[in-house]
Amino acid sequence: AQKITQTQPGMFVQEKEAVTLDCTYDTSDQSYGLFWYKQPSSGEMIFLIYQGSYDEQNATEGRYSLNFQKARKSANLVISASQLGDSAMYFCAMRALTGTASKLTFGTGTRLQVTL
Amino acid sequence: EAGVVQSPRYKIIEKKQPVAFWCNPISGHNTLYWYLQNLGQGPELLIRYENEEAVDDSQLPKDRFSAERLKGVDSTLKIQPAELGDSAVYLCASSLGGQPQYFGPGTRLTVL
């Protein structure tokens, strides 16, 4: 079984500052993928970034980076230079990369509010 | 490239009525997923299709929920009869093999 824990229900960050959203996970799978999604008020889940369990480098996509610490089972999302449009719910998710277990297991999300 | 399309975006029905949701995945994506998202929670998988075959429907309440993907492209999720507890957002996603899943805008269902 897989479990994702996001302990921050809500976060505030000032515009242009960096923010870290926490995510810890638990799995018995040896090969797995970690994902972050953004969900604005419109409801659509937007894929942001992906990290494979065997990737040695931390993933980066523009202003998003994933701080992957395998031994600690954490996959925190770092957003640099926050913008007002970053205000949304953020979900951490994972899935096994072996067999046919392709479903995503999500955390409960963190609501990020970017202020002026 | 067009994203995942879902309709309707919003649906309000009375309990015991039937309801259906439609999803058209990204062109070429062979895997299609239906997720349920309750308020304040992350999405949970209801059913996953590989082409036209349902390969994971273990979380689908089969007494009232059904789904189909007849030609391996678009899909329909049905609830009959709807209950008050079915009020939620129903999300459709698609992927090509093991690539990341891309989601549609969802259908927000309210059962009165």
Side-chain angles (χ1 to χ4, degrees), chain A residues 3-6 90-94 105-110, chain B residues 40-43:
Chain A
K3 185 176 180 181
I4 295 284
T5 302
Q6 294 181 255
Y90 288 81
F91 289 94
C92 180
M94 73 177 302
T105 298
F106 286 84
T108 53
T110 295
Chain B
Q41 301 293 320

Side-chain angles (χ1 to χ4, degrees), chain B residues 33-110:
Chain B
Y33 314 77
W34 283 102
Y35 286 87
L36 166 69
Q37 186 176 22
N38 286 306
L39 189 64
Q41 301 293 320
E44 297 178 350
L45 182 72
L46 287 172
I47 189 168
R48 173 169 68 95
Y49 283 92
E50 296 288 347
N51 301 303
E52 64 273 10
E53 182 182 359
V55 295
D56 184 357
D57 63 357
S58 57
Q59 301 302 310
L60 190 73
K62 297 181 183 65
D63 56 336
R64 298 183 300 107
F65 286 65
S66 64
E68 60 183 16
R69 192 186 186 199
L70 294 176
K71 295 182 180 179
V73 180
D74 59 340
S75 175
T76 302
L77 177 68
K78 297 178 182 177
I79 309 175
Q80 183 171 10
E83 296 179 353
L84 295 176
D86 296 332
S87 295
V89 176
Y90 292 81
L91 292 163
C92 180
S94 70
S95 69
L96 179 61
Q99 298 299 308
Q101 297 174 26
Y102 292 88
F103 286 76
T107 296
R108 184 178 297 276
L109 174 67
T110 302

Side-chain angles (χ1 to χ4, degrees), chain A residues 37 39 42 95 100 102 104, chain B residues 9 33 35 37 48 98 101:
Chain A
Y37 285 84
Q39 188 175 41
S42 59
R95 71 173 182 90
T100 60
S102 185
L104 283 171
Chain B
R9 289 296 312 276
Y33 314 77
Y35 286 87
Q37 186 176 22
R48 173 169 68 95
Q101 297 174 26

